Amino acid sequence: MEWLELISAREAEVLAAIRGHQSNAQIAAQLHLSIRTVESHVASLLRKAGVPDRRSLAALAEEPVSGLPVFPTSFVGREEERTAVAAALGAARLVSLVGSGGMGKTRLAVEVAAGQNAVFVDLVPVRAGGVGQAVAQALGVVERPPGTPTDAVIERLRSERALLLLDNCEHVIGEVGELVARILRLCPQVRILVTSRERLAVPGERLVEVPSLGASAPQLFLERATGAVSDVAAVERLCAALDGMPLAIELVAARTASLGVDGIEAALDDLLRLISGGRGPDQRHHSLQDVISWSLDLLDDEERRLFRRLGVFVGSFDLPAAAALSPELSVGAVADLIGRLADRSLIVYRGRWSLLETVRAVAAHELELSGEDLIPRYVRWAADTAAEATTDFTAVADDLRNALTHTTPDSYRLAKSLAHLSFVHGQVVAARNHYVRAAELNPDRAAADLQSAADVALISADEAAFGLLLEASDRAVGTARAVALASAVIAATRFSMSFAEPVPRERLVELLAEATALADPRDERCVAVLAMARAWASGENPLDPDLELSRNAVAAARRTGDVALVLGALDALGTALANAGHLRQAHRLSDERLRLAATASRSDPAVAAELVDLFHVASTSAIAAGDLPAAAMIAARDTEAGTHPAIVAPRLIRLYGLTGRFDEALEQADILWDGWLCAATYGVESELSSLRGHWPSSAAAIVAMVHGLRGDGPAYEEWRVRARRIAHVDNPADSLSLAAPAAFVDARIAVHTGRYDDARALVDAALAPFPEKWWSPYAHAAGAELAVVAGLPDAVECIAAAEAAAVENEWAAACLTRAKARHTGDQQLMDEAVAQWDRIGAAFERTVQW
């Protein structure tokens, strides 16, 4: 299906949706496009595919589509190298084709990969920090906050059998090496084929040298010649002069129609003598640069001027982009010049126009020599493009980022638009950095842009938000400064679980006092943010907001009508209610937050940060209230929201463990542990930094419970140790987040296994007055049941001590009913317990009776 080579990246996404029989409206919603834009893409696809209707297009799309580029010319020579590469791939999972530029490494790699389940990634336009995103785009996966593109790649390839072809790696060699090493470690069925001018130096790498064509070079020349050639000896001399480089040979062979072999040979000799020593710093490129420079001498002034201007683009470009660089020409004139450059093989077309890497380097060098400053036009084009609602971000992202490395009057506008585009495409790290860049470019707007950067950082609970907010306060005055300072206090308390070191309370008190002094009581937003800061900073424990102050914050936030503020204030109130033991009220408040979130704009970073937090809190409060059906519905919405799997895993583990879906709980356990190890290894710089907090320890305890209920003693003990590692304690009782879950699990396993030797100690631990109330009902109910089945003399008193827990938690209520039935032998009570287990979907517990 050669027509597939003509479609753009966005058209490919539309085509995939058509294959899934989605309507234009559904496609528009999925890809964040207007319906009119989708209709335009569909019309373009119909034209390129040469089919009359949508049904025919869908049928074509069902055919297997290779991720490899399709070349219109024959493959000449390289049989020995092709055999060597295929053999190397059979013996090693990582094979690197190394050699000088222009030697045909890409073509050879594509020939070897043909017919396999291959994913082709062109790294030519990619700059430092963009390798993961490029691979993710090629795989069709997107970043799921707080994860990075690399995490999305690993998740996609973890269980997939595929061949990953990474093309042109030399300019990002270190970054590629890190990604490849991680894929090799975590994705056992993936093989990787790399083309580069130097090796990756990754363990297990098998190198295959790609030399010059040698004896096959004349055949390539003759295949590519556009005119009649009779002097084979002259062709051989030409190929030798060109070092047997395939790209150089192809460019020269294209001139045979106009100059003939003799004329080419003479001109080449003259050119080589003229530029002896080359014009670039890299000796390896001089022969190839000679060929391209000679080819440029055959262009007229207009062609050459446009060619060197196109060297500004680091990625592909379309006609409007090229025309933006030449405002003195009409669009028709630019189109004509592009056609002439394509005829001379200086630019190529694959859905969009582009220059080969080495050709682009020559064009950029030519532009530098000309003294023409195209940067203002380039940045203006980038700013205009980024601001367009229908921008195909994937196609232009590399150039938008590159344009932002320059400073012109349009750079600020570009930074803001690029930050927004990156954010809506799930690239939260890039979005944060672009907002920071915007703050650097426009001091007058720095405070607001740094606030936006902080909002993006809070999506992944990144403690960098605290520093960004303090910097925003330094750039602001009056009420705006008060808001930034109060927001910093909120970030340092509400998200303290992700901080490597907590912000000292004295520092928070100082910041809050300064914010209070600057606040304008007539500014409702300022009043609301300050009220929320006071609530969160009210207690010695940063996660213990004052109940009455939290109510005040909610009232103040509601007066502003700001959805993000209301969501945040409701979180403070819900946390305060839960800490006071009012778990059902906290759960109902989370339901209100979920309903409110449904009306919010997800394109606002502040709202997005609240939504990420909301799913965590809503799931936690549902579990705390024992409302397992509600927790299941929240989990389904959480998964649909695209949150990183390692962040979702703890919530799913708790749900699956309590409902008896043990296989699914253990599947999530590996995801949790891998994510936690990543966060622990890479510290606060990790994209999963929020996992460094103690909160996942309760999920690890539930994994231990699952293994214990299944009779796997060694795994039970291993996960008890892991739970303590996550909580950073040797004794669970010393952890605010682990004390109650660990006591619950130990009591529950003792009941199930009938091991009562230390029942007294386990019951006392389970009935302790835990400072953290979320898991207290589970521990108290399990402790009471253990007291009954172990025959402890104070079993009745233990049941009475757990009665309050049953009021706040449906799981605890069912467990306590079963404990009473066991104590009294009352079958009616046991039937009631079974009905309670049925109502909350606790399948395993429902089977346990006497």
Side-chain angles (χ1 to χ4, degrees), residues 468-490:
L468 290 168
L469 289 165
L470 291 182
E471 188 178 351
S473 72
D474 291 339
R475 305 289 191 91
V477 294
T479 299
R481 179 171 169 78
V483 169
L485 290 170
S487 298
V489 171
I490 295 170

Side-chain angles (χ1 to χ4, degrees), residues 414 505 595 659 676 800:
L414 170 59
R505 176 164 176 72
R595 291 192 299 273
T659 54
W676 184 83

Side-chain angles (χ1 to χ4, degrees), residues 246 374 663 702:
L374 278 188
D663 288 341
I702 295 300

Side-chain angles (χ1 to χ4, degrees), residues 163-447:
L163 173 63
L164 186 62
L165 202 171
L166 303 177
D167 192 37
N168 295 293
C169 301
E170 53 275 347
H171 60 299
V172 283
I173 195 75
E175 192 174 344
V176 172
E178 293 176 3
L179 173 62
V180 165
R182 192 172 175 190
I183 291 175
L184 291 175
R185 184 174 71 255
L186 299 176
C187 309
Q189 299 185 86
V190 174
R191 293 174 299 150
I192 303 172
L193 183 58
V194 165
T195 74
S196 179
R197 295 178 189 176
E198 61 180 294
R199 65 190 183 94
L200 298 184
V202 171
E205 181 182 26
R206 182 73 61 88
L207 297 180
V208 176
E209 293 284 345
V210 182
S212 60
L213 274 177
S216 300
Q219 181 186 354
L220 177 63
F221 187 99
L222 295 170
E223 291 259 0
R224 302 296 190 262
T226 56
V229 177
S230 58
D231 190 346
V232 177
V235 171
E236 291 175 350
R237 289 193 300 271
L238 272 175
C239 291
L242 296 172
D243 296 329
M245 293 183 175
L247 178 57
I249 291 169
E250 294 199 7
L251 287 171
V252 171
R255 307 301 166 215
T256 54
S258 56
L259 295 178
V261 174
D262 292 341
I264 291 173
E265 189 174 19
L268 182 59
D269 286 343
D270 290 341
L271 188 60
L272 288 173
R273 285 194 297 270
L274 179 65
I275 59 171
S276 178
R279 295 186 286 182
D282 192 338
Q283 184 65 38
R284 295 175 302 168
H285 294 170
H286 286 179
S287 296
L288 186 57
Q289 287 178 340
D290 288 345
V291 173
I292 298 173
S293 296
W294 165 82
S295 184
L296 295 183
D297 288 337
L298 301 180
L299 301 178
D300 64 29
D301 289 344
E302 279 194 328
E303 290 169 344
R304 188 158 188 163
R305 184 182 302 112
L306 182 64
F307 170 75
R308 66 177 179 243
R309 288 175 176 177
L310 295 178
V312 168
F313 295 110
V314 297
S316 62
F317 54 89
D318 57 13
L319 181 57
L325 302 183
S326 299
E328 76 280 7
L329 299 175
S330 68
V331 175
V334 173
D336 176 59
L337 291 172
I338 286 177
R340 283 187 259 167
L341 292 175
D343 290 341
R344 291 176 169 85
S345 300
L346 286 170
I347 61 176
V348 295
Y349 182 78
R350 292 177 185 167
R352 289 168 61 87
W353 300 105
S354 63
L355 277 69
L356 297 175
E357 180 187 12
T358 48
V359 176
R360 190 197 68 80
V362 172
H365 184 61
E366 287 274 315
L367 182 61
E368 181 181 0
L369 291 178
S370 75
E372 186 178 18
D373 183 10
L374 278 188
I375 296 305
R377 294 180 191 173
Y378 178 54
V379 176
R380 188 178 308 116
W381 162 81
D384 291 342
T385 300
E388 292 175 1
T390 58
T391 293
D392 184 348
F393 182 60
T394 301
V396 299
D398 292 308
D399 270 295
L400 298 186
R401 298 185 191 109
N402 183 61
L404 193 54
T405 63
H406 305 287
T407 302
T408 76
D410 292 294
S411 294
Y412 176 71
R413 189 162 56 94
L414 170 59
K416 289 296 292 288
S417 295
L418 184 52
H420 176 72
L421 278 173
S422 299
F423 173 72
V424 298
H425 282 81
Q427 300 171 14
V428 293
V429 175
R432 184 192 71 185
N433 293 339
H434 296 323
Y435 278 121
V436 172
R437 172 67 171 149
E440 295 170 351
L441 291 166
N442 189 346
D444 293 338
R445 290 284 303 159

Side-chain angles (χ1 to χ4, degrees), residues 699-844:
I702 295 300
V703 176
M705 182 189 76
V706 169
H707 284 298
L709 293 177
R710 284 190 156 183
D712 189 343
Y716 166 64
E717 294 298 337
E718 178 185 1
W719 275 93
R720 292 181 73 212
V721 171
R722 288 182 174 182
R724 295 196 295 271
R725 283 186 62 186
I726 294 173
H728 303 290
V729 294
D730 294 325
N731 182 353
D734 296 332
S735 169
L736 186 69
S737 59
L738 184 58
F744 160 62
V745 168
D746 288 345
R748 184 70 194 84
I749 296 304
V751 169
H752 180 72
T753 60
R755 297 175 183 171
Y756 308 139
D757 293 343
D758 55 351
R760 178 76 271 165
L762 294 179
V763 169
D764 290 344
L767 291 173
F770 301 103
E772 187 271 308
K773 305 300 183 184
W774 302 86
W775 283 90
S776 294
Y778 291 96
H780 290 173
E785 186 172 31
L786 176 57
V788 169
V789 297
L792 297 186
D794 61 343
V796 173
E797 289 80 359
C798 292
I799 291 175
E803 287 286 1
V807 174
E808 295 294 334
N809 182 289
E810 295 180 42
W811 194 101
C815 183
L816 205 57
T817 301
R818 185 173 64 193
K820 293 174 182 177
R822 283 177 156 178
H823 182 65
T824 62
D826 188 331
Q827 182 60 52
Q828 186 175 351
L829 272 180
M830 184 59 75
D831 292 341
E832 182 181 339
V834 169
Q836 288 175 292
W837 293 126
D838 279 338
R839 281 197 296 273
I840 62 174
F844 178 83

Side-chain angles (χ1 to χ4, degrees), residues 516-528:
T516 301
L518 292 167
D520 182 351
R522 296 167 299 179
D523 187 320
E524 290 186 340
R525 175 177 173 78
C526 179
V527 169

Side-chain angles (χ1 to χ4, degrees), residues 551-564:
R551 288 195 173 99
N552 293 341
V554 171
R558 291 192 196 279
R559 286 194 293 271
T560 70
D562 186 314
V563 174

